[in-house]
Structure formats: C-alpha cells, structure tokens
Amino acid sequence: QAMKTQDNSTLTAQESVFLFLSSSLPETVVNRYLIDIGRTGEQRIVPVLFGLPQGLAGKRLNADYFSRVMQADPGCRDTPETPCQRLAVSLKVNPVLFTRYNISEVPALVYENGQDSWSIQGETELAFLLEKMSKAANSPALAGISARLRGGQ
C-alpha cells in the first residue's frame, strides 16, 4: 500500500509553533514578526500575546495597537479613502499558553510535535529562531520554513 508522503517543509497537524510576543516590545518589532509569520504561509505558526496592551478598558487604544502591528506595509498610513492592507495572521491573546510553556521573557518561540516541546528566547529574526529550533528539535519542517523565509523557495 502506498504511503502518503507529506511535504516536509510544512507543519503537520501534530505540530504547533507559538511565537510569544508582548505589547512591551516595540511595535515595529511585533509588526516585523507578524509580517514574517504571514510570509511563511503557515497557519500553524501562531503569534500569542499575554494580554491586551491596554487591558479590557482600553478598547480604542487596543484597536489602534492591533491596527498598527497588523499592517502588511509598516510604512503605510491609513486614510478614510485608502485604508492600509492588514496581515491575514491570527494574533491570539492567551495567558494560559504563557503559563503552560513557562514563558517569562519575550520574544520566545515554542515548538511542539505532539510528544515534546522546545522553546527558545531572544529578539532575533523569525527565520533564525526557526532555524535554531529546527536543529534543537530535529524538524525538517521548521528548517524548510526557515529556508523559505530567508528567500530560498
């Protein structure tokens, strides 16, 4: 019987990658990570914030924050006639994940494959974090995604 082969530069259903971020990071940094996640085309790489930048009370400020960090082109300025394009990345607010993976510093990248999880911290390019993680976890998928991000399709 034929084995179904899977493209090894794509995450499987058992694999998850979480990129832990914080509104205390400069918005340009958060935006860069979100753009890079968008460029991977991977739905299973999920950016996570611990909480809302301004708490529950700051609805308007929170909306403005998300609006800025989700911009596809950081140089774009919204006008009523021509709003800037936003990234199709789902930025989650999930303090439970921070606790589950013991995240105390951001940015942090966590990779889980169903049995084990690995995490690394440090503000550096997403491609570099994924590459380091691919070596630690011996994951061809992460290596492939990192290579795609670096421009090697």
Side-chain angles (χ1 to χ4, degrees), residues 33-102:
Y33 280 121
L34 297 177
I35 287 171
D36 281 350
I37 289 173
R39 285 177 52 220
T40 67
E42 288 284 338
Q43 299 301 308
R44 304 194 68 76
I45 299 179
V46 180
V48 187
L49 291 172
F50 184 83
L52 293 167
Q54 300 294 328
L56 290 173
K59 283 200 171 73
R60 178 83 223 138
L61 292 168
N62 288 329
D64 289 347
Y65 174 82
F66 285 109
S67 177
R68 288 189 303 268
V69 299
M70 295 300 284
Q71 282 198 187
D73 170 7
C76 182
R77 292 292 165 260
D78 279 311
T79 66
E81 298 78 45
T82 54
C84 300
Q85 190 185 347
R86 295 300 187 262
L87 297 162
V89 171
S90 56
L91 178 55
K92 304 266 191 253
V93 173
N94 191 332
V96 175
L97 285 175
F98 276 76
T99 308
R100 180 191 303 166
Y101 294 111
N102 231 338

Side-chain angles (χ1 to χ4, degrees), residues 5 14 22 24-25 30 39 61-62 67 69 74 76 80-81 86 89 91 102-103 123-124 135 142 153:
T5 58
Q14 286 76 47
S22 164
S24 64
L25 291 167
V30 174
R39 285 177 52 220
L61 292 168
N62 288 329
S67 177
V69 299
C76 182
E81 298 78 45
R86 295 300 187 262
V89 171
L91 178 55
N102 231 338
I103 304 299
E123 191 179 312
T124 178
K135 293 188 172 102
L142 293 178
Q153 296 304 317

Side-chain angles (χ1 to χ4, degrees), residues 6 10-17 44-45 111-114 139-142:
Q6 80 132 29
T10 306
L11 296 167
T12 66
Q14 286 76 47
E15 297 173 287
S16 301
V17 175
R44 304 194 68 76
I45 299 179
Y111 166 72
E112 193 180 275
N113 66 5
S139 163
L142 293 178

Side-chain angles (χ1 to χ4, degrees), residues 111-129:
Y111 166 72
E112 193 180 275
N113 66 5
Q115 293 102 357
D116 289 306
S117 69
W118 292 261
S119 70
I120 50 175
Q121 294 170 323
E123 191 179 312
T124 178
E125 282 178 59
L126 181 62
F128 183 71
L129 288 171

